[in-house]
Amino acid sequence: MRLTKLELHGFKSFADNTGLTFEPGVTAIVGPNGCGKSNVSDAVRWVLGEQRARLLRGQKMEEVIFQGSTSRRPVNIAEVSLHFDNSDGELPVAFREVVVTRRLSRSGESEYLLNRAPCRLRDISDLLRGTGLGADTGVVIEARMIDALLSDRPDDRRELFEEAAGIGLYRDRRRSTERRLEETTGDLQRLDDLIAEVQSQVRSLSRQRKRAERYSELTSRRFTVEIALASREMASWRDELARLEARVSELRGMIPTTEETVADHEQERDTAHDARAAAEAQRAELSRLVSTQREHVQQIRAEMAVAEERQRNTVVRRQRAEAEATQGTQLREQLASDRLNATEERARFEAQHGEAEQTLQTLRAQEETSRHAVAVARTSLEQAERALREVQDQAHEADLSRERSQRDLDETSERSSVLERERAALADTAALARRELEDANVAREQADRETTELLARADQARDAEKSARDHDASARAALFNADEAHAAIQGKVHGLEGLERERVGMAPAAARLLQDRAQFGEGAIVGPLSDYIATDQEAALLIERFMGPTVHAVLVRDA
């Protein structure tokens, strides 16, 4: 592999496209100070991946782009390309010529190209690693590197010697592997923590699952027992309902007889109403007679007043006759006869007045007696029927005989006693029906309460079953999440085991040797030394530092 050409465009002082061809032998670039000789070495260092602007004699990376002059404007892109001859196949690419290009714009966009194809800086570094090419290798010798070669400190010379010896690739791989191992160790620690946490959760979920299964079993048994109890209670309710239905049928059979009895009682009540109407008519007739008697008494009182007036006139006439006594015996006799007649008439009128008063008092007493008897009969009738309207005062005929009034009173008492007996019979029947209705209502209320309790128990059982199902669903979801986490952890563990099997981080030659161990015979290649070293995490770094690359040495059976 040989450098054949260097192309520059817009890099520092190379504003135009500039190409430097390197023929076999030594190529020297000479010129006065400030002509741009150092810009060539800076371009080689820059295209190989230098990231520090200070080493390119600038403050920031944009300063490598041509800044312009008095006669030319600045450019926007700096681009440098290195052409290598790969005829001997030193570089692991299928090209006879390898072109490495770096491009930078003023907007800060930077890109690398390998044979005009975009790539990463790491791809270019890995490609050129081991060939002596690189930003920090000895390809470009500067004054500071000469000072490092002549320095008394072995560490400064060691880096240059290691780079010249071609072990920089392995050193970088070792650093990369160490970083990856550190990251893997941290991941394993986190995996251990996650596994411990998941195991605790799995144990807790297992206990909860067992409790849920036990609860489900007990709930199902309880539900079965409640169903059996409910079936028994419903059977007893059916028997009770059948008994009540039989009683209802019996009562319905008694309805026609009761209705006939009620019809008879209603007919008797209508008869009593008719009798009461007749009594009312009799009372009206008695009232009319009383009114007639009162009018007659008023007439008698008027006649008495006339008689008194006549008496006064007679007295006046007597006085006048006494005054005129001298007028003659005939007039006196006449006056005496008139006085006698008036006296007789007065006595007659007074007798008639006394008789009328006696008759009035008798009629009043009879009216009071009749009213009292009617009131007693009405009270008895009201107590007997309860549903009948208030019986008005019955008046008895005052002019009729006491025997007829007594006969009417006896008739009313007899009817009252009959109604009382019928009311008692109806009251007994109603009380019996009421008691049976109350018993039926109590049984119905008891059945309603028991049905309500059973419905409440069923609702509670459904709620408990729903909560158990929700708990089971949450437990299943948690178990599913735990299974997913466990699967992810197993995937990571399998990945780590795959990395371990593939011997990631080991030198390619050692990995190839372990891969093809079968061709040397069974037991000839024992394995890497790292497989036979066991230590804790703290001492692992110390052992790796102490042993260095020897930790990846391959053990063989014999020389």
Side-chain angles (χ1 to χ4, degrees):
M1 187 184 68
R2 187 176 63 85
L3 178 63
T4 59
K5 188 177 181 181
L6 174 65
E7 293 181 348
L8 305 97
H9 174 66
F11 184 81
K12 287 193 175 182
S13 60
F14 300 97
D16 298 327
N17 287 332
T18 304
L20 300 178
T21 303
F22 301 98
E23 299 294 341
V26 178
T27 301
I29 301 174
V30 296
N33 293 334
C35 68
K37 300 185 300 295
S38 299
N39 292 342
V40 176
S41 61
D42 292 340
V44 174
R45 183 181 296 275
W46 183 71
V47 75
L48 292 176
E50 181 59 60
Q51 303 295 325
R52 294 166 292 184
R54 183 178 57 83
L55 297 180
L56 299 176
R57 297 175 297 136
Q59 297 298 326
K60 54 184 179 179
M61 192 58 70
E62 287 76 6
E63 292 181 359
V64 302
I65 304 174
F66 178 70
Q67 302 296 326
S69 63
T70 57
S71 60
R72 298 195 61 169
R73 292 187 304 175
V75 297
N76 293 325
I77 294 177
E79 181 178 341
V80 177
S81 298
L82 284 178
H83 293 254
F84 297 99
D85 184 9
N86 191 31
S87 300
D88 55 357
E90 181 68 21
L91 297 178
V93 292
F95 296 96
R96 297 180 61 85
E97 183 181 19
V98 178
V99 182
V100 179
T101 305
R102 181 176 183 181
R103 185 182 300 160
L104 176 67
S105 64
R106 288 193 181 275
S107 61
E109 296 180 359
S110 177
E111 58 179 341
Y112 293 88
L113 297 95
L114 185 61
N115 284 0
R116 305 304 175 183
C119 63
R120 301 176 301 171
L121 175 59
R122 183 177 182 85
D123 297 334
I124 296 175
S125 300
D126 292 342
L127 178 64
L128 300 178
R129 184 71 67 183
T131 61
L133 295 176
D136 295 332
T137 60
V139 174
V140 181
I141 300 296
E142 297 177 345
R144 65 177 186 85
M145 298 180 66
I146 297 174
D147 293 337
L149 288 171
L150 301 176
S151 175
D152 295 336
R153 291 181 299 178
D155 293 337
D156 296 340
R157 298 195 303 271
R158 180 180 179 181
E159 292 182 1
L160 295 175
F161 293 155
E162 287 180 353
E163 188 65 33
I167 63 175
L169 172 63
Y170 304 104
R171 184 178 66 247
D172 293 340
R173 287 183 178 177
R174 175 186 175 186
R175 293 175 181 172
S176 176
T177 303
E178 288 177 352
R179 287 195 301 268
R180 292 175 62 183
L181 286 175
E182 290 177 358
E183 294 175 356
T184 303
T185 302
D187 294 338
L188 288 175
Q189 290 179 354
R190 287 191 291 272
L191 286 176
D192 292 337
D193 297 337
L194 289 174
I195 289 173
E197 181 65 24
V198 169
Q199 286 179 352
S200 63
Q201 293 179 1
V202 167
R203 289 193 295 270
S204 177
L205 290 174
S206 177
R207 292 193 297 270
Q208 294 178 5
R209 181 178 61 81
K210 292 180 180 178
R211 292 177 182 175
E213 291 176 353
R214 179 62 176 171
Y215 176 78
S216 176
E217 181 183 358
L218 292 177
T219 304
S220 61
R221 292 173 59 187
R222 177 184 176 184
F223 186 71
T224 305
V225 171
E226 290 180 351
I227 290 296
L229 180 61
S231 63
R232 293 180 181 178
E233 291 178 353
M234 293 202 50
S236 63
W237 292 342
R238 290 193 187 95
D239 297 338
E240 183 68 20
L241 184 60
R243 188 179 65 80
L244 292 176
E245 288 179 352
R247 182 58 182 169
V248 168
S249 300
E250 182 181 355
L251 292 176
R252 287 178 179 174
M254 295 172 62
I255 286 176
T257 306
T258 306
E259 288 179 350
E260 291 178 359
T261 305
V262 170
D264 295 339
H265 291 321
E266 288 180 351
Q267 186 175 3
E268 292 177 358
R269 185 186 64 183
D270 294 337
T271 305
H273 279 301
D274 296 338
R276 185 180 66 185
E280 290 287 339
Q282 292 177 1
R283 193 191 70 169
E285 183 66 22
L286 287 175
S287 297
R288 187 182 64 77
L289 292 175
V290 169
S291 298
T292 303
Q293 291 296 330
R294 285 179 180 175
E295 291 178 357
H296 185 63
V297 169
Q298 292 293 334
Q299 185 178 2
I300 292 173
R301 285 179 180 176
E303 290 178 355
M304 288 177 64
V306 172
E308 289 177 355
E309 182 67 25
R310 288 178 179 178
Q311 185 180 4
R312 285 194 298 271
N313 293 332
T314 303
V315 172
V316 172
R317 286 196 301 272
R318 188 186 65 182
Q319 291 177 356
R320 187 180 296 173
E322 288 177 355
E324 296 177 356
T326 58
Q327 292 182 4
T329 305
Q330 188 177 359
L331 182 60
R332 183 175 182 178
E333 290 176 358
Q334 185 178 357
L335 291 173
S337 63
D338 290 338
R339 181 180 181 184
L340 180 60
N341 292 332
T343 303
E344 290 177 358
E345 188 177 359
R346 181 179 180 181
R348 184 171 59 81
F349 286 156
E350 287 179 353
Q352 290 179 358
H353 181 269
E355 289 176 0
E357 287 289 340
Q358 260 182 350
T359 304
L360 181 63
Q361 292 296 331
T362 302
L363 291 175
R364 285 179 179 176
Q366 289 178 358
E367 183 179 4
E368 290 296 332
T369 303
S370 298
R371 286 181 180 178
H372 180 67
V374 169
V376 171
R378 182 182 298 161
T379 304
S380 300
L381 185 61
E382 182 180 4
Q383 292 177 355
E385 294 183 355
R386 283 191 178 182
L388 299 177
R389 293 175 300 175
E390 184 180 358
V391 179
Q392 301 177 356
D393 296 336
Q394 296 182 1
H396 295 277
E397 186 178 11
D399 295 337
L400 297 177
S401 64
R402 192 176 184 86
E403 290 81 6
R404 184 175 179 180
S405 299
Q406 187 67 31
R407 191 168 52 251
D408 293 338
L409 181 61
D410 294 339
E411 218 174 67
T412 304
S413 300
E414 184 179 357
R415 289 178 182 175
S416 299
S417 61
V418 171
L419 290 176
E420 182 68 23
R421 288 193 297 274
E422 292 177 353
R423 186 192 64 79
L426 288 175
D428 294 338
T429 305
L432 180 60
R434 193 180 298 108
R435 284 196 300 272
E436 292 179 352
L437 181 61
E438 289 177 355
D439 295 337
N441 290 330
V442 170
R444 183 178 59 82
E445 292 176 356
Q446 181 68 22
D448 291 339
R449 285 196 299 271
E450 293 177 354
T451 304
T452 305
E453 291 178 358
L454 287 177
L455 290 176
R457 291 179 181 177
D459 292 337
Q460 292 178 359
R462 292 191 188 96
D463 295 337
E465 183 181 4
K466 182 179 179 182
S467 61
R469 288 181 178 175
D470 295 338
H471 184 70
D472 188 23
S474 61
R476 290 178 182 274
L479 183 60
F480 179 72
N481 294 330
D483 291 338
E484 287 186 348
H486 184 63
I489 292 172
Q490 285 184 347
K492 291 182 179 180
V493 172
H494 292 333
L496 293 175
E497 290 177 352
L499 293 177
E500 181 67 22
R501 287 194 302 271
E502 294 175 1
R503 304 295 179 181
V504 176
M506 186 175 290
R512 183 64 179 275
L513 180 62
L514 293 174
Q515 184 179 0
D516 299 335
R517 65 169 65 182
Q519 64 182 347
F520 298 101
E522 184 178 0
I525 305 300
V526 180
L529 180 60
S530 59
D531 290 349
Y532 299 94
I533 299 176
T535 181
D536 54 3
Q537 183 178 358
E538 296 180 356
L541 297 176
L542 297 177
I543 291 175
E544 288 182 358
R545 290 180 182 176
F546 176 74
M547 297 185 68
T550 312
V551 74
H552 297 295
V554 178
L555 300 180
V556 298
R557 182 177 57 190
D558 50 25

